[in-house]
Amino acid sequence: ASCPPQGDVLHTIQSDDVSTGSSFAGNSLESMLLCLAPTEVLIVGDLSAQTQRMLDFFTINNSSHKGRSHVERIPYSEIHGKSAAIVTKALSEIMPTSTDEDESGDGVDTRLSAEILELPELIIAGLAGCIKYLEQFKLQSIIQLWRIRCFEVNSRMNLTPNTLRQLEILQNSVDGASKGSLFALMNGTSTAFGARLMREWITNPLRQITKIRERQEAVQALLDAWKSPNQKGSNLYFSLIGALSQVPDVERGLMRI
């Protein structure tokens, strides 16, 4: 489970055989790490030698943040046989209350709770590990379980790590810095959360033509306002750009409430 700055919780399942030291996670896990660029990675239990080598390489070479990604570990014994109970307890504490009358009387949205607890066992274990780790800092509430979704979605392309590197999408091939990459070239955003969304769009391109056209039409509407002979429309565009440049990182702020 991963918790990006905006509070979303993303999940996916990868095969990793500790007994043989082999991993079937391969490119998909590395692609996920490159796309999300986590500042901290939490490992619950042991990893195969292959996955450990990949993670070591990633933490050393990831330059999308200042310094390396930080790696923490907790033993699997801390959640073994207790994953569902840990997640259930967290749900009762941090889930938003239901707006409808709740037959259970505890104020928790039972529909959402049931959907989360019906996720595969490995995902529940990953959530429990994150919750257990964050409890020591009293930060478990930052995992907004009602915003959980699968990382792999059919409407987007999953670019391999080699594709991201060879096309210099996030980092240049000279020193691994962002300068000179496609992201640096296209990132004209005015806000931190806009830059994060741009990064997500570039690393996970849309595949469905209707979604692509909707995005193009939205961009075209902004361009039309910018080029509008109507002074009012042009002023509105520049006023919007100016206002956005003054907006703080709202997503991070909301996540901490």
Side-chain angles (χ1 to χ4, degrees):
S2 173
C3 187
Q6 58 266 41
D8 288 341
V9 180
L10 311 180
H11 67 79
T12 186
I13 294 179
Q14 311 287 347
S15 293
D16 193 51
D17 192 340
V18 178
S19 61
T20 63
S22 62
S23 170
F24 298 97
N27 288 338
S28 57
L29 179 58
E30 191 174 359
S31 293
M32 184 175 185
L33 289 171
L34 287 169
C35 294
L36 296 178
T39 55
E40 187 168 16
V41 177
L42 175 66
I43 301 171
V44 182
D46 300 318
L47 297 176
S48 68
Q50 185 177 344
T51 299
Q52 186 62 59
R53 285 194 298 270
M54 183 274 291
L55 183 61
D56 291 341
F57 179 82
F58 170 78
T59 55
I60 291 172
N61 293 277
N62 177 33
S63 61
S64 58
H65 293 275
K66 295 180 179 179
R68 299 178 183 177
S69 295
H70 184 61
V71 177
E72 287 287 347
R73 297 174 183 266
I74 63 172
Y76 181 68
S77 59
E78 289 197 17
I79 64 166
H80 180 59
K82 300 177 285 188
S83 297
I86 292 171
V87 174
T88 300
K89 180 175 180 290
L91 285 169
S92 67
E93 294 176 349
I94 63 181
M95 283 286 288
T97 56
S98 174
T99 54
D100 301 323
E101 185 176 349
D102 190 350
E103 295 179 358
S104 66
D106 58 9
V108 178
D109 189 324
T110 53
R111 181 184 60 81
L112 288 174
S113 299
E115 289 179 0
I116 292 171
L117 292 174
E118 287 174 1
L119 290 169
E121 184 178 346
L122 284 175
I123 295 174
I124 297 296
L127 288 172
C130 289
I131 293 167
K132 195 70 176 175
Y133 172 69
L134 291 170
E135 279 181 348
Q136 60 187 313
F137 308 108
K138 301 187 184 302
L139 293 174
Q140 63 270 28
S141 61
I142 69 173
I143 300 183
Q144 300 184 20
L145 294 173
W146 59 93
R147 296 183 63 173
I148 190 169
R149 59 186 174 90
C150 184
F151 177 73
E152 297 175 350
V153 288
N154 294 329
S155 61
R156 295 170 181 259
M157 294 175 61
N158 292 318
L159 302 182
T160 65
N162 188 54
T163 300
L164 293 172
R165 292 194 186 96
Q166 294 298 323
L167 298 181
E168 298 182 291
I169 291 177
L170 298 175
Q171 303 168 339
N172 69 56
S173 59
V174 178
D175 58 4
S178 177
K179 183 178 180 181
S181 67
L182 177 64
F183 174 67
L185 178 66
M186 296 185 65
N187 184 24
T189 57
S190 300
T191 63
F193 49 88
R196 288 194 293 268
L197 182 60
M198 174 64 73
R199 182 189 180 94
E200 181 182 343
W201 283 2
I202 291 176
T203 55
N204 294 273
L206 292 172
R207 296 172 58 187
Q208 297 179 349
I209 189 65
T210 54
K211 297 292 184 181
I212 294 173
R213 285 175 176 165
E214 286 176 4
R215 188 175 292 176
Q216 290 175 335
E217 289 170 2
V219 173
Q220 188 62 52
L222 289 173
L223 288 174
D224 290 344
W226 176 39
K227 298 177 180 179
S228 173
N230 184 337
Q231 188 68 26
K232 184 178 180 180
S234 181
N235 288 342
L236 179 61
Y237 171 83
F238 286 106
S239 296
L240 176 61
I241 297 299
L244 285 173
S245 65
Q246 304 299 317
V247 174
D249 198 338
V250 177
E251 284 184 334
R252 284 186 186 273
L254 289 175
M255 187 187 70
R256 292 167 182 165
I257 296 176

